[in-house]
Amino acid sequence: MQSYSQDLRERVLWALDRGERPSSVARRLEVSRVWVYQVRARARKLGKRTSFQIGGHRRSRVAEMESVLRAWIEAEPGLALSELSARLAQAGCFNQARGAVASVESMESHLQKNLHASDQEREDVPQARRKWVEALPRRDVEKDRIH
């Protein structure tokens, strides 16, 4: 989605400065009334007559903790993302666990945890998986075949 042109913003602000009502400006310029109010509020509060930047690079919230994260992972390779995010929250890096996980996941690929769960090495896991697969309903392949 693209933002409205700067020319249109200037026409809206010029009309409002002349004393025209926001609803009549919106009707005449064929934009939403809410957008006219937003443009006016941004000009009044921030003194900016331009749109917000769309896109661009966003710095990771854990970038400054990368060396610490690497040390934790090297010391304990089986650490789960939830444990890493809890440690980061305790370190005061940020306070939202979901944001922590997303930030950790977005770091370089060698920092990302593998998709293999740490309990895959347990003896009971393959047995439980086999039982689960055996319990799945079987399909009659001959019935499903298109002739």
Side-chain angles (χ1 to χ4, degrees):
M1 179 178 186
Q2 290 185 334
S3 59
Y4 286 121
S5 69
Q6 186 59 38
D7 176 59
L8 183 58
R9 287 173 190 282
E10 292 296 336
R11 285 188 283 154
V12 165
L13 291 170
W14 180 72
L16 292 172
D17 290 343
R18 280 192 338 231
E20 200 172 333
R21 289 185 9 244
S23 56
S24 63
V25 172
R27 202 173 313 112
R28 186 169 53 81
L29 297 175
E30 297 181 354
V31 295
S32 76
R33 186 173 43 90
V34 172
W35 182 75
V36 172
Y37 281 110
Q38 289 172 344
V39 169
R40 182 176 71 178
R42 181 174 164 97
R44 284 183 180 171
K45 289 180 186 173
L46 304 176
K48 296 196 179 215
R49 299 173 75 89
T50 59
S51 65
F52 288 110
Q53 178 183 351
I54 297 175
H57 176 71
R58 195 178 109 214
R59 186 172 145 81
S60 169
R61 290 181 275 175
V62 295
E64 66 275 356
M65 298 285 290
E66 184 174 352
S67 60
V68 175
L69 281 168
R70 289 180 189 277
W72 288 343
I73 291 171
E74 282 180 29
E76 296 178 59
L79 269 177
L81 286 173
S82 59
E83 293 168 334
L84 283 173
S85 65
R87 286 186 183 190
L88 287 168
Q90 285 176 346
C93 191
F94 38 71
N95 57 10
Q96 291 181 343
R98 247 187 221 156
V101 172
S103 296
V104 171
E105 285 178 338
S106 67
M107 293 190 82
E108 297 175 44
S109 62
H110 57 276
L111 254 187
Q112 291 183 3
K113 305 301 287 176
N114 63 26
L115 297 176
H116 210 51
S118 60
D119 61 9
Q120 293 295 313
E121 305 302 321
R122 291 187 358 217
E123 293 176 19
D124 61 325
V125 173
Q127 291 173 341
R129 184 176 293 121
R130 267 193 299 283
K131 284 182 183 178
W132 176 74
V133 169
E134 289 170 2
L136 290 174
R138 299 285 178 212
R139 295 183 71 177
D140 187 356
V141 180
E142 288 302 316
K143 259 186 169 178
D144 295 340
R145 187 173 295 173
I146 299 174
H147 298 285

